[in-house]
Amino acid sequence: MTKPVVAVQMRGISKSFGGVKALDNVDFEVFVGEVHALLGGNGAGKSTILKVLNGIHKPETGTIQVCDQYLTESHPKEARDAGVAMNFQEMSLIPTLSVAQNIFLTREAVSKLNLINDKEAVRQAKVLFDTLQVDVDPNAMVGDLGAGQKQLTEIAKAISQNAKVLVLDEPSTALAVSDVERLFVFLRKLKEKGTAIIYVSHRMDEIIQIADRATILRDGKHVISAPISKLPIDKMIEHIVGKRSNGLADVTFSKASKGDLLLELQDVCGRYRPQKVDLKVHEGEIVGLAGLLGSGRSSLARIISGITPAQSGKIKIRGKSVNFRRPGDANAAKVALVPESRSTQGIIADHSVQSNVTMASLKQLTRYGFEIKQKSQSIVDAQIKRLSIKTASRDHAVVTLSGGNQQKVVIGKWLATMPDILVLDEPTAGIDIGSKSEIVALIRNLAREGKAIIMISSELSELLTACDRIVVMEGGRIFSDNPREYYNESSNPNDDPGRQLQAAEKHLQTEIQLAVKAQTRLESTNG
Amino acid sequence: MAESRTGKSHLFRVLIGDWRQNIIYIGFIVLFLIFAVTLSDKGFLNPNNLLNIIRQTAMIAVMAIAMTFVLSAGEIDLSVGSVAGLATVTVAMAIAIAGPIAGVFAGLATGLVVGMFNGWLTTRVGIPSFLTTLAMMGIAKGAAMWISDTAAVPILNQSYAWIFGGGSIGRIPVLLFWVLILGAIGHFALRRTGFGRRVLATGGGETAARYSGIDTARIKFRVLVLSSTAAALAGMLYAGRLQSGRFQLGEGDELSVIAAAVLGGTSLFGGKGTVIGTVVGAMMIGMINNGLILMGLEYSQQLIARGGIIILAVALSQKR
C-alpha cells in the first residue's frame, strides 16, 4: 500500500480564550482524496480548530501546513490562497447581496475592462447548483432565503473555490434528506478528484455513510484518529463522551414530587417547526428537551413563551386555553423564558445588576411611573442572595461579572416576575464547569418549590443530571418521551456516579441518533 | 412544499419589490409633473429655472455620490459640509498665492488629509464614524474661520472659475457635466468593481465579509477618504461658482447630502446603495426647494413641506 499524501497537517495547536483552553496541543492530519470526519461534543474544540485552519483564530503554539505550504499569517486570505475553503454555518453570507454575488464574493468574474460581470456569476452559479442537482435561484437576495437554501448557498460558495481542502461544518443541519443525498454524491466525486474533505456533523449515520476516517476531540484535546471501519457508532460515542469528571455527577438527584398538571400542549405547530407537538409538564417537574441543532427545541421554547405565536394547536395552562400573541401575554400567564443567547437576548451588559434584574418586572416596581426604590432594591437583593450571585454590589455593571453569574442575573430577572413555568434554553452555554453544576442544582431547587421547568441543553450529561423526564426531538417532532430512569444502566448499579452518568449519556446519545434515523426515513418516504 | 409556494408569489414579490425600490424615480416624475402643471405660469418649466435647479444641487449631488459609498459600507460622514467650506478657503488662498494649479492641489489635499484623519480615527483608534466626523465638522469649520480670519477670499482667476462651476457650454452649465461624469464613475465603481462589491459586503454583514477574506477596516478607511475628497471637490465647485472662498459655504449640507442618498434608496444600515438613485434624490431635493419657493411659500412653510415629502418618500420605500 502506498503512503497517503497529506493535505492538511496541524501539529501541537493550542489556543485559549480568556484563560479557558479551547485547544490543547492538538494534532490533526487529513489526507488527499478522503472525507475526514471531525467529531466531538459541545466545546470539544471542533469549530476552534477549523477557525485556526482558516486563519480566523491565531493559535498560541503549533504549526499548520496545507499541501506542503506553511501558514504563518493567520489570515483568511492566506488560508484561501493555500487552497482551503470552508462553509461557516451561514456566517459568511451577506444578506443584502444576491446568491450569485455571495458565492463569488471577492472572486468576481470580470469583463475585459475589469468590471464585474454579474450575469456570468449567475450563469456559473446555475452550473454549480445544477451539478449539485439542487434548486436555488442565483438572483434571489440571501436575506430572503430560508435556512436550507442559505445552507446550500454556503456550500456552493465553498465548493466554487475549487479548493484542495474543503471544510464543511455541519452542512446538513437545515437540509432536506434528498439534498443531503445529492450532496454526498457530489462529495464522492470531489474525493475521487483528490480533494481532501473535512466533514463536521453530529449525525453519526451521516458520518458512517460518507467519511473514510475520523478524528475525535474532547475538551480541547485530541482523542483518536482512525478509519471509520474501526469506529462503530457505540465506540464513537464512547470516545466523544469520555470519562466524566465535570462535577455534574456530584449533584445529588432527588426526585421531585410531581404536582398538578400545569402546562399542556396539544398538536402545537410552528411555521416550520415544531410539528404537532404534544407535551405535558407538571408542577415540580423538570422536562429536558434533547436533540441536535435544528431539531426544533428552541422554536418550541419560543412558542411556549409567546415570542413567536403558534400556527395551530392548543396550549393550556392549568387547564385553561391560552393564546399568546406576544411575550407580554406569556409573562402575564406566568411563563418566563431564559433565552438561548445571553449576551443579545438576556442581559444589557453595561447596565447594573439591579436594572437588569428588575427589567422584566418594572410594572410591579413602579408607582405613577416612578420606580419604587426600596421595593426594587429588596427584590434585587433577594435574588442575589437566593441565586448566590457573586457581585460587588447590586449597582455594579453586569459586564463585570463572570459568565456564570451573568446567567444567574438573567435567571434572577425572570424569577423576579414570579413565574410558574420557566423555560431555560441552553442555560449553561459558555459557563465554566463549577458554575454549571451550581446552576443545575439551582434549577432542581426551583422545581422543588413547585415550578414547572422546561430545559433545553445540548450537553446531555447536564440534562441527565437535572431532568425528571427527557424528550428527544428531531425534525420538529417529538421522537420519544422517557423518564430519567429509562437511561440508567441496570446492570451495574454499584458503579460510581461518574460512570453511571457516562453510561446514561451514551444511552441518550444513541436515542438521539435513533431519532435522526427515524426522521430521515420519515422524510424519504414522504417524498 | 417549498416549490409549490415559489411560482406565483415569487413573481408578485418581484413586482412589489421593484415598486418599492423604484419609488424615488416614480416620485421624481410624479412631483415633476405636479410642479409642471401647477407652476407652469410661474415659470417652473422655463429652461433657465431647470438649469438653475441643477446649478444649485450639483454640489449636494457630488457629495452624495461619495456618501452613498460611506452609507453602503455601514458608516456615516457628518463632516462633508464643513470640509467643503474649508476647501473653498484653502483653494482660494492657494490660488491667490501660487496660481490655479496649486489651488486644485490644495483643495484635493485638504480633502485627503481630513479623510485620512477620519479614517484613521474610525478604523485604528476605534471611534465610531458618527463621532469622528461630528467632531471633524467643528474642527474643519474652525480651521476655515481661523485661516481666513472669517473673511471671504476672492478668486480672480477666470479659467479656474469657469472649469470649477462658473462656466457653461452653450447654455449647459459645466456643473452638470461634473455631476454626470462623477455619477457615471460612481455608479460603475459601486456596481461593477471589486471595490464597490467589497463596500456593499462590508456594510451588509461585516463579520461575513471578514470571514470571506475582505479587509473591512481598509474598506471603511477608503470610503471615508473618498467622502472627504468629494466634499473638498464640492467646495472647489462652490468656490469656482461664487468666485470666492468662504467658511459659510456648504454649511448644513451634510443633512441634504444624507437625505439625498437615503431618498435614492441607500440604506442607513449599510449594504444597500445606488448612485443613480442618489443623484436623482439630490435633484429631487433641489426640485422640491425650487417648487416650494415658486409656490410662494414662506421659508417656515417650505421647511415643513420639505420634511413631509422626504418622510413620505422614505416611508413608501420601506420593506414591510
Side-chain angles (χ1 to χ4, degrees):
Chain A
M1 207 172 105
T2 52
K3 203 170 179 295
V5 188
V6 172
V8 175
Q9 187 153 51
M10 301 175 81
R11 286 238 165 107
I13 304 285
S14 293
K15 170 83 193 165
S16 33
F17 296 103
V20 181
K21 269 222 147 112
L23 292 174
D24 186 3
N25 200 18
V26 173
D27 294 338
F28 183 46
E29 197 177 55
V30 183
F31 300 140
V32 163
E34 72 165 352
V35 176
H36 194 111
L38 183 59
L39 305 171
N42 275 316
K46 292 173 309 219
S47 296
T48 315
I49 197 162
L50 293 179
K51 283 184 178 167
V52 167
L53 174 61
N54 262 279
I56 288 167
H57 291 328
K58 193 179 175 66
E60 277 117 34
T61 63
T63 58
I64 310 161
Q65 201 182 344
V66 176
C67 305
D68 300 329
Q69 190 185 338
Y70 282 95
L71 305 187
T72 50
E73 286 171 48
S74 290
H75 191 276
K77 196 170 177 310
E78 184 198 23
R80 213 170 59 194
D81 291 345
V84 181
M86 172 167 177
N87 79 318
F88 285 98
Q89 299 191 30
E90 298 178 26
M91 288 289 281
S92 80
L93 296 183
I94 290 163
T96 50
L97 294 181
S98 77
V99 168
Q101 287 173 343
N102 262 293
I103 291 176
F104 297 105
L105 187 61
T106 72
R107 299 172 290 116
E108 291 88 358
V110 288
S111 65
K112 267 180 234 148
L113 291 167
N114 226 8
L115 293 177
I116 289 179
N117 187 343
D118 270 332
K119 283 198 187 106
E120 176 63 18
V122 168
R123 198 190 60 78
Q124 289 182 14
K126 271 205 181 100
V127 172
L128 209 55
F129 288 124
D130 284 347
T131 35
L132 276 170
Q133 295 185 303
V134 293
D135 186 26
V136 181
D137 175 12
N139 285 309
M141 273 300 148
V142 163
D144 298 335
L145 297 182
Q149 301 253 304
K150 271 188 195 149
Q151 201 158 40
L152 288 171
T153 307
E154 267 292 355
I155 294 169
K157 181 177 174 182
I159 287 172
S160 72
Q161 298 173 31
N162 289 322
K164 292 181 220 156
V165 180
L166 176 64
V167 186
L168 296 174
D169 188 1
E170 298 213 44
S172 63
T173 42
L175 293 190
V177 175
S178 50
D179 285 344
V180 175
E181 275 161 14
R182 292 190 199 113
L183 175 65
F184 282 1
V185 171
F186 184 78
L187 291 184
R188 287 191 190 102
K189 274 191 223 153
L190 275 185
K191 191 171 89 172
E192 273 159 30
K193 280 194 236 159
T195 309
I197 299 166
I198 301 173
Y199 194 94
V200 179
S201 175
H202 289 288
R203 296 168 189 236
M204 305 291 166
D205 56 331
E206 266 180 36
I207 301 286
I208 300 269
Q209 267 187 58
I210 189 73
D212 303 302
R213 291 199 311 142
T215 291
I216 297 176
L217 303 180
R218 187 175 65 234
D219 300 331
K221 293 195 180 74
H222 178 264
V223 179
I224 187 174
S225 292
I228 281 295
S229 54
K230 303 252 168 66
L231 283 170
I233 288 191
D234 59 332
K235 198 91 186 172
M236 267 196 251
I237 291 176
E238 196 174 312
H239 283 304
I240 291 169
V241 173
K243 167 97 179 75
R244 279 289 154 199
S245 58
N246 62 3
L248 273 176
D250 303 338
V251 179
T252 45
F253 187 89
S254 59
K255 193 146 176 55
S257 53
K258 205 159 100 174
D260 296 340
L261 179 62
L262 203 51
L263 174 72
E264 188 177 5
L265 306 184
Q266 290 173 351
D267 243 6
V268 169
C269 295
R271 185 121 177 241
Y272 302 107
R273 297 186 190 104
Q275 292 288 323
K276 303 197 168 181
V277 161
D278 291 312
L279 187 66
K280 285 181 185 168
V281 189
H282 297 82
E283 279 179 351
E285 192 180 31
I286 306 179
V287 175
L289 302 183
L292 300 181
L293 205 69
S295 57
R297 297 166 302 167
S298 295
S299 316
L300 181 59
R302 282 195 292 270
I303 286 180
I304 295 172
S305 53
I307 289 175
T308 44
Q311 299 287 309
S312 65
K314 249 188 195 151
I315 303 176
K316 287 182 183 172
I317 291 177
R318 294 188 195 284
K320 255 194 255 158
S321 270
V322 291
N323 183 13
F324 296 155
R325 296 275 118 206
R326 56 186 76 83
D329 297 346
N331 292 349
K334 296 200 168 291
V335 180
L337 169 73
V338 173
E340 195 176 2
S341 164
R342 183 167 65 239
S343 53
T344 61
Q345 305 167 340
I347 54 164
I348 299 179
D350 292 331
H351 290 190
S352 68
V353 171
Q354 165 153 346
S355 83
N356 270 284
V357 169
T358 53
M359 197 163 27
S361 39
L362 279 175
K363 213 174 195 172
Q364 290 88 53
L365 297 176
T366 49
R367 192 183 296 147
Y368 313 121
F370 292 99
E371 191 176 3
I372 311 163
K373 230 178 174 179
Q374 276 174 333
K375 199 169 166 191
S376 50
Q377 281 175 356
S378 68
I379 280 187
V380 173
D381 287 341
Q383 295 301 345
I384 290 176
K385 198 166 156 228
R386 176 186 197 182
L387 305 173
S388 38
I389 299 173
K390 285 186 196 69
T391 172
S393 80
R394 62 173 113 82
D395 298 319
H396 269 67
V398 168
V399 70
T400 62
L401 273 54
S402 73
N405 282 298
Q406 290 183 5
Q407 186 66 24
K408 287 184 194 170
V409 169
V410 182
I411 295 175
K413 167 170 96 179
W414 291 109
L415 288 182
T417 65
M418 316 247 214
D420 293 336
I421 300 168
L422 190 62
V423 185
L424 300 138
D425 196 352
E426 301 284 0
T428 66
I431 289 177
D432 67 279
I433 289 157
S435 310
K436 265 181 195 172
S437 43
E438 212 180 327
I439 283 181
V440 168
L442 176 88
I443 292 168
R444 291 223 54 89
N445 274 336
L446 292 171
R448 211 165 296 136
E449 290 168 21
K451 298 190 191 309
I453 294 174
I454 296 173
M455 175 172 167
I456 297 173
S457 177
S458 297
E459 299 213 14
L460 304 182
S461 55
E462 198 177 285
L463 284 181
L464 289 159
T465 318
C467 301
D468 302 304
R469 255 166 62 210
I470 295 175
V471 170
V472 175
M473 291 186 72
E474 177 58 31
R477 282 170 230 276
I478 289 186
F479 172 73
S480 69
D481 183 345
N482 294 313
R484 163 67 177 84
E485 297 81 34
Y486 173 84
Y487 295 102
N488 280 343
E489 208 72 40
S490 52
S491 56
N492 41 359
N494 296 326
D495 267 354
D496 66 278
R499 283 288 270 287
Q500 278 183 23
L501 186 58
Q502 186 192 351
E505 199 179 336
K506 266 162 73 180
H507 195 166
L508 180 53
Q509 180 70 259
T510 313
E511 182 88 2
I512 292 172
Q513 296 303 329
L514 284 177
V516 173
K517 235 184 213 163
Q519 179 67 19
T520 309
R521 213 173 304 129
L522 188 69
E523 277 180 37
S524 50
T525 49
N526 282 357
Chain B
M1 195 172 74
E3 285 96 56
S4 64
R5 209 181 293 158
T6 39
K8 217 184 345 178
S9 74
H10 183 72
L11 185 69
F12 184 68
R13 208 181 311 143
V14 166
L15 285 175
I16 289 292
D18 277 350
W19 171 75
R20 293 207 181 278
Q21 262 168 29
N22 296 333
I23 188 75
I24 174 68
Y25 308 111
I26 299 169
F28 184 83
I29 292 167
V30 168
L31 211 62
F32 184 85
L33 291 177
I34 292 174
F35 284 162
V37 172
T38 58
L39 299 174
S40 58
D41 53 331
K42 303 241 172 75
F44 176 76
L45 284 177
N46 185 318
N48 275 333
N49 185 51
L50 296 179
L51 292 175
N52 243 336
I53 295 179
I54 287 167
R55 276 194 202 98
Q56 280 156 3
T57 41
M59 291 70 161
I60 299 288
V62 167
M63 288 187 266
I65 290 166
M67 186 66 80
T68 307
F69 284 78
V70 179
L71 295 178
S72 295
E75 299 294 323
I76 199 161
D77 187 350
L78 297 175
S79 65
V80 287
S82 303
V83 173
L86 176 61
T88 64
V89 174
T90 54
V91 167
M93 291 175 79
I95 290 175
I97 297 164
I101 294 176
V104 171
F105 275 107
L108 292 176
T110 305
L112 280 172
V113 169
V114 172
M116 282 159 73
F117 195 52
N118 278 342
W120 178 73
L121 286 172
T122 304
T123 61
R124 297 281 160 230
V125 183
I127 305 170
S129 55
F130 183 89
L131 288 174
T132 310
T133 58
L134 186 67
M136 186 54 70
M137 194 171 147
I139 294 172
K141 186 176 170 186
M145 290 171 79
W146 193 10
I147 58 174
S148 67
D149 227 352
T150 70
V153 185
I155 292 176
L156 302 173
N157 187 299
Q158 288 308 310
S159 44
Y160 175 88
W162 191 89
I163 295 170
F164 288 93
S168 52
I169 300 169
R171 293 183 66 180
I172 313 289
V174 170
L175 283 169
L176 180 62
F177 292 103
W178 278 105
V179 172
L180 292 180
I181 291 168
L182 292 176
I185 294 173
H187 173 75
F188 277 102
L190 189 61
R191 281 277 153 265
R192 300 288 301 275
T193 67
F195 171 69
R197 188 58 54 78
R198 282 168 176 75
V199 167
L200 289 167
T202 300
E206 202 185 333
T207 315
R210 242 194 346 258
Y211 278 28
S212 305
I214 294 173
D215 188 341
T216 52
R218 191 193 306 180
I219 295 295
K220 290 178 172 187
F221 181 85
R222 286 188 184 173
V223 293
L224 287 169
V225 171
L226 181 72
S227 173
S228 284
T229 310
L233 181 57
M236 290 156 72
L237 297 177
Y238 271 126
R241 180 162 172 244
L242 302 171
Q243 301 201 1
S244 67
R246 261 180 272 170
F247 76 89
Q248 296 101 324
L249 292 173
E251 206 167 23
D253 276 1
E254 56 277 349
L255 293 184
S256 305
V257 168
I258 293 166
V262 173
L263 213 50
T266 297
S267 166
L268 274 177
F269 304 108
K272 242 181 80 194
T274 115
V275 169
I276 293 178
T278 295
V279 172
V280 175
M283 291 301 161
M284 185 153 149
I285 289 179
M287 189 171 75
I288 293 170
N289 287 342
N290 180 268
L292 295 177
I293 292 169
L294 291 186
M295 273 180 193
L297 295 188
E298 284 176 28
Y299 183 61
S300 54
Q301 294 165 322
Q302 284 175 35
L303 286 178
I304 293 169
R306 188 169 50 181
I309 293 172
I310 292 174
I311 288 174
L312 184 72
V314 176
L316 284 174
S317 68
Q318 291 300 305
K319 239 188 190 173
R320 246 150 281 226

